[in-house]
Amino acid sequence: MFEEQVAQTLDGLELAEAVGDGTLTVFPLLGADKPGPHYLTLDEALAKGLAEVTEVSAEGRVPELFFENKGDDPILLVDGEILIGAKQNRVLNLTILVRPKSRITIPVSCVEQGRWSASRANFTSADHAMFAAAKARKAEHVSASMRASGRRTSNQSAVWQDISERLHKVGAPSPTQAMSAAFEHRREHLEKAVAAARPLATQRGAVYLVGGKLAGIEVFDKASTYAKLAPKLARSYALDAGLKGEARKVDPLLVSLTLARLKTLKVESYPGTDLGTDLRLADEALNGAALVAGEAVLHL
């Protein structure tokens, strides 16, 4: 059943002409919106005062936060989104749909190793997501944790190692080893990527390549959702671009074959963190995740 939903989601997408400079290449994925639940994104909910993210206690716990949905609509939290503040900055471990008028515990990882003191009581949302290489490794570890114990935990040491290496590569000093410092250091480069990858009218996702090699694929159920997340995602993938060799042209046929391959991945299903069903996808070289709610794959 879930394999069919993933395949149908991919079959409903058209690969458009690539944009980018060859260091970061973005192939838009176009398609009609899928019927599914109405929801707010994290940034929308925070801006409207309909969501609050806090530590789970005065002492706090690194791998968990409280998320409160104060509104009448579900809220979509997307894998890799960054939460800034409280005792230390965190990253979402997977995509979650939070039901209205509820308060839940959400699984996160630390992306600021050297701080454990409250800068403010609650969290805001960053304008970037976790950089692609670290997000991919985190997803693999979360999948392994779910298979082994049902828990949605990352390998925190690996997350810190990835961040430390990236801060060193981009030459971004950070007394607290905060991942956000790398994004601030390369701000001009990242904003060029955002401008180059502006979403098209019916764009529901994209294939991202760094130095000619696949870095990631993001697909949403609605073009409006992708448009809201696109700048964060462009910055996420662009941070890796320029650090892995020269620009290279990409054959669209190879991208199409990769999309076809996704339909053959093994799919495992788990109850969602709140609403919906979590899917984990893998073969010997690719790993991924999806959140399904009813007939819609909200994020793949």
XYZ file of all heavy atoms in Angstrom, residues 1-7 10 139 143 147 214 216-217 257-269 279-290 300:
302
model
N 0.835 -1.210 0.000
C 0.000 0.000 0.000
C 0.870 1.260 0.000
O 0.712 2.148 -0.834
C -0.914 -0.003 1.217
C -1.613 1.333 1.466
S -2.515 1.326 3.020
C -2.914 3.044 3.176
N 1.811 1.354 0.960
C 2.639 2.551 1.041
C 3.599 2.644 -0.139
O 3.911 3.737 -0.611
C 3.386 2.593 2.370
C 2.483 2.784 3.561
C 2.417 1.847 4.570
C 1.683 3.915 3.661
C 1.589 2.024 5.662
C 0.837 4.108 4.745
C 0.795 3.155 5.751
N 4.078 1.491 -0.611
C 4.913 1.496 -1.809
C 4.157 2.117 -2.970
O 4.729 2.882 -3.757
C 5.340 0.074 -2.163
C 6.397 -0.532 -1.262
C 5.822 -1.210 -0.034
O 4.609 -1.068 0.215
O 6.571 -1.869 0.685
N 2.859 1.801 -3.064
C 2.019 2.368 -4.134
C 1.901 3.876 -3.988
O 1.961 4.616 -4.980
C 0.628 1.738 -4.092
C 0.465 0.571 -5.045
C -0.967 0.064 -5.054
O -1.899 0.880 -5.028
O -1.122 -1.159 -5.064
N 1.713 4.351 -2.754
C 1.580 5.790 -2.536
C 2.853 6.534 -2.931
O 2.788 7.610 -3.536
C 1.225 6.082 -1.073
C -0.251 5.895 -0.762
C -0.591 6.380 0.630
O -0.254 5.726 1.602
N -1.243 7.505 0.719
N 3.984 5.978 -2.580
C 5.257 6.598 -2.956
C 5.394 6.617 -4.475
O 5.750 7.638 -5.073
C 6.438 5.855 -2.314
C 7.770 6.349 -2.892
C 6.423 6.043 -0.796
N 5.089 5.482 -5.118
C 5.201 5.392 -6.579
C 4.252 6.371 -7.262
O 4.634 7.051 -8.230
C 4.920 3.965 -7.032
N 5.549 9.944 -7.077
C 6.628 10.193 -8.033
C 6.123 10.191 -9.469
O 6.576 10.986 -10.304
C 7.728 9.152 -7.855
C 8.456 9.218 -6.503
C 9.301 7.978 -6.285
C 9.306 10.474 -6.407
N 19.417 11.086 8.835
C 18.262 10.286 8.418
C 18.576 8.796 8.472
O 17.737 7.981 8.898
C 17.831 10.679 7.010
N 16.642 6.176 10.939
C 16.020 4.960 10.409
C 16.514 3.726 11.165
O 15.731 2.846 11.533
C 16.313 4.800 8.915
O 15.654 5.794 8.165
N 14.245 1.101 13.452
C 14.212 -0.349 13.239
C 14.600 -1.108 14.504
O 14.021 -2.148 14.820
C 15.155 -0.734 12.105
C 14.745 -0.237 10.739
C 15.669 -0.733 9.635
N 15.438 0.041 8.421
C 16.278 0.952 7.938
N 17.427 1.179 8.552
N 15.988 1.624 6.852
N 24.094 13.487 -6.824
C 22.842 13.603 -6.091
C 23.099 13.944 -4.630
O 23.851 13.254 -3.943
C 22.058 12.287 -6.175
C 20.738 12.252 -5.401
C 19.711 13.174 -6.048
C 20.196 10.824 -5.331
N 20.135 15.244 -2.720
C 18.861 15.000 -2.065
C 17.679 15.295 -2.965
O 17.817 15.943 -4.008
N 16.535 14.794 -2.544
C 15.268 15.014 -3.243
C 14.230 15.403 -2.200
O 14.134 14.768 -1.148
C 14.821 13.749 -3.994
C 15.857 13.364 -5.061
C 13.440 13.935 -4.627
C 15.642 11.977 -5.647
N 16.292 8.472 -14.049
C 16.540 7.100 -13.618
C 16.605 7.006 -12.098
O 16.141 6.020 -11.500
C 17.849 6.591 -14.231
C 17.824 6.361 -15.747
C 19.217 6.017 -16.256
C 16.839 5.238 -16.106
N 17.156 8.031 -11.463
C 17.196 8.046 -9.995
C 15.787 8.130 -9.417
O 15.452 7.429 -8.450
C 18.043 9.228 -9.489
O 19.366 9.107 -9.996
C 18.080 9.247 -7.969
N 14.938 8.972 -10.007
C 13.556 9.066 -9.547
C 12.831 7.734 -9.713
O 12.056 7.316 -8.846
C 12.824 10.172 -10.307
C 13.264 11.607 -9.981
C 12.653 12.590 -10.975
C 12.863 11.983 -8.557
N 13.096 7.064 -10.826
C 12.490 5.747 -11.043
C 12.980 4.746 -10.004
O 12.214 3.898 -9.519
C 12.805 5.254 -12.451
N 14.246 4.865 -9.646
C 14.811 3.942 -8.660
C 14.145 4.087 -7.292
O 14.017 3.112 -6.543
C 16.316 4.197 -8.541
C 17.028 3.310 -7.534
C 18.507 3.614 -7.538
N 19.208 2.933 -6.482
C 20.501 3.067 -6.227
N 21.234 3.865 -6.990
N 21.073 2.421 -5.234
N 13.713 5.299 -6.961
C 13.061 5.515 -5.668
C 11.824 4.646 -5.507
O 11.463 4.275 -4.384
C 12.679 6.988 -5.504
C 13.815 8.012 -5.464
C 13.261 9.396 -5.197
C 14.855 7.645 -4.428
N 11.200 4.325 -6.620
C 9.980 3.508 -6.562
C 10.280 2.049 -6.238
O 9.377 1.272 -5.976
C 9.211 3.615 -7.883
C 8.656 5.015 -8.133
C 7.790 5.068 -9.376
C 8.616 5.083 -10.629
N 7.788 5.272 -11.850
N 11.546 1.672 -6.251
C 11.924 0.290 -5.955
C 12.499 0.132 -4.554
O 12.844 -0.980 -4.142
C 12.975 -0.222 -6.967
O 14.226 0.445 -6.738
C 12.520 0.035 -8.401
N 12.614 1.230 -3.792
C 13.202 1.152 -2.457
C 12.299 0.350 -1.514
O 11.074 0.399 -1.604
C 13.414 2.554 -1.874
C 14.364 3.495 -2.605
C 14.531 4.787 -1.830
C 15.718 2.849 -2.826
N 12.923 -0.337 -0.602
C 12.185 -1.026 0.447
C 11.540 0.004 1.358
O 12.172 0.976 1.761
C 13.127 -1.920 1.255
C 12.444 -2.671 2.385
C 13.450 -3.501 3.180
C 12.767 -4.203 4.351
N 13.743 -4.947 5.176
N 10.258 -0.198 1.686
C 9.518 0.754 2.515
C 9.109 0.084 3.819
O 8.503 -0.987 3.821
C 8.261 1.276 1.782
C 7.472 2.214 2.686
C 8.660 1.996 0.493
N 9.442 0.728 4.933
C 9.006 0.277 6.252
C 8.096 1.354 6.837
O 8.350 2.552 6.662
C 10.203 0.042 7.171
C 11.165 -1.024 6.666
C 12.439 -1.091 7.473
O 12.771 -0.081 8.147
O 13.098 -2.145 7.418
N 7.056 0.951 7.541
C 6.105 1.914 8.095
C 6.066 1.839 9.618
O 6.233 0.772 10.212
C 4.704 1.673 7.531
O 4.218 0.403 7.909
N 7.226 6.716 7.081
C 7.843 5.719 6.204
C 9.350 5.932 6.197
O 9.827 7.063 6.200
C 7.311 5.850 4.775
C 5.809 5.812 4.558
C 5.489 5.853 3.066
C 5.167 4.592 5.209
N 10.085 4.820 6.172
C 11.535 4.867 5.985
C 11.854 4.053 4.747
O 11.356 2.929 4.585
C 12.283 4.323 7.199
C 11.831 4.909 8.521
C 11.895 6.423 8.591
N 13.232 6.996 8.625
C 13.482 8.283 8.876
N 12.482 9.135 9.078
N 14.726 8.722 8.892
N 12.650 4.620 3.847
C 12.943 4.005 2.557
C 14.442 3.780 2.433
O 15.233 4.625 2.851
C 12.480 4.910 1.418
C 10.996 5.289 1.342
C 10.657 6.460 2.246
C 10.623 5.663 -0.081
N 14.845 2.654 1.843
C 16.285 2.396 1.727
C 16.583 1.325 0.701
O 15.759 0.454 0.411
C 16.849 1.978 3.087
N 17.785 1.412 0.116
C 18.440 0.298 -0.566
C 19.908 0.374 -0.192
O 20.267 1.027 0.811
C 18.186 0.286 -2.077
C 18.801 1.463 -2.822
O 19.599 2.212 -2.209
O 18.511 1.644 -4.007
N 20.798 -0.244 -0.953
C 22.199 -0.296 -0.547
C 22.894 1.060 -0.634
O 23.960 1.252 -0.036
C 22.967 -1.321 -1.394
C 23.142 -0.961 -2.865
C 21.921 -1.282 -3.718
O 20.918 -1.776 -3.145
O 21.974 -1.044 -4.935
N 22.316 2.028 -1.352
C 23.000 3.312 -1.533
C 22.153 4.533 -1.192
O 22.694 5.616 -0.994
C 23.487 3.436 -2.976
N 20.840 4.384 -1.140
C 19.951 5.507 -0.887
C 19.190 5.291 0.414
O 18.873 4.159 0.785
C 18.938 5.660 -2.028
C 19.493 5.991 -3.415
C 18.364 5.992 -4.440
C 20.203 7.335 -3.413
N 18.896 6.381 1.107
C 17.996 6.285 2.257
C 17.093 7.500 2.262
O 17.484 8.578 1.797
C 18.775 6.145 3.565
C 19.385 7.452 4.034
O 18.756 8.213 4.761
N 20.626 7.721 3.622
N 15.887 7.307 2.753
C 14.944 8.409 2.742
C 13.822 8.186 3.730
O 13.813 7.206 4.490
N 12.886 9.107 3.721
C 11.764 9.065 4.653
C 10.574 9.772 4.033
O 10.723 10.556 3.087
C 12.156 9.736 5.965
N 9.415 9.486 4.567
C 8.203 10.168 4.121
C 7.210 10.214 5.265
O 7.237 9.365 6.170
C 7.599 9.474 2.913
N 8.286 13.848 1.195
C 9.119 12.703 0.819
C 10.540 13.189 0.631
O 10.756 14.167 -0.098
C 8.596 12.077 -0.477
C 9.475 11.043 -1.184
C 9.596 9.783 -0.343
C 8.904 10.711 -2.567
